[in-house]
């Protein structure tokens, strides 16, 4: 939580299992039936929306960027810029532990590119490449 500005209900990273600065992160999202989106997606057949799986990967990437670039306490934010090649392979249901694996593809001071994979029990649930921008928060 120290590395991300997100809070409930949008905080989608529950814990970081491993982080190698400038390289990769492995994080976990425990998917529970209490998630608000399950009420409408879908009644009787709850499935985590694909866009939220990608958001969870992006948040893990945000932690990786903050830690690798020394941004903690700087006030800088990591903003989503682009998503490419998103593919969804397996439904993510309540009770799953979603493993988020993200690695740097390119790292610069203000723009970073990442490759991410989300798995459940070792099976690929989703994958995407994405780009993020490091910037000051908008003026209040």
């Amino acid at each position: 939580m120290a590395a991300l500005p997100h809070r409930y209900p949008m905080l989608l990273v529950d814990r970081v299992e491993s982080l190698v600065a400038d390289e990769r992160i492995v994080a976990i999202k425990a998917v529970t039936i209490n998630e608000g989106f399950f009420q409408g997606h879908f009644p009787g057949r709850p499935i985590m929306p694909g866009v939220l799986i990608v958001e969870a990967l992006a948040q893990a990437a945000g932690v990786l960027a903050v830690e690798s670039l020394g941004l903690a306490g700087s006030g800088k934010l990591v903003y989503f810029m682009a998503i490419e090649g998103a593919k969804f392979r397996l439904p993510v249901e309540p009770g799953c532990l979603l493993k988020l694996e993200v690695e740097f593809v390119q790292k610069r001071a203000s723009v970073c590119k990442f490759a991410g994979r989300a798995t459940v029990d070792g099976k690929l649930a989703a994958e995407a490449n994405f780009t993020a921008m490091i910037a000051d928060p908008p003026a209040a």
Side-chain angles (χ1 to χ4, degrees), residues 33 35-50 91-94:
I33 193 62
E35 312 283 351
F37 51 79
F38 283 134
Q39 288 181 346
H41 200 270
F42 298 104
R45 180 65 169 99
I47 297 172
M48 185 174 185
V92 176
E93 304 169 315

Side-chain angles (χ1 to χ4, degrees), residues 39-122:
Q39 288 181 346
H41 200 270
F42 298 104
R45 180 65 169 99
I47 297 172
M48 185 174 185
V51 295
L52 293 181
I53 297 169
V54 173
E55 173 65 21
L57 288 167
Q59 288 183 22
V63 174
L64 178 60
V66 164
E67 296 298 321
S68 297
L69 298 170
L71 300 175
S74 70
K76 300 276 187 189
L77 294 177
V78 181
Y79 292 102
F80 233 148
M81 287 178 64
I83 305 166
E84 298 170 348
K87 295 182 179 145
F88 304 96
R89 309 284 188 194
L90 179 76
V92 176
E93 304 169 315
C96 290
L97 283 180
L98 190 62
K99 187 176 193 178
L100 309 165
E101 302 171 87
V102 179
E103 61 185 38
F104 275 113
V105 172
Q106 183 179 54
K107 181 173 62 83
R108 295 196 174 136
S110 61
V111 176
C112 298
K113 293 185 178 188
F114 304 92
R117 295 170 33 95
T119 60
V120 175
D121 295 328

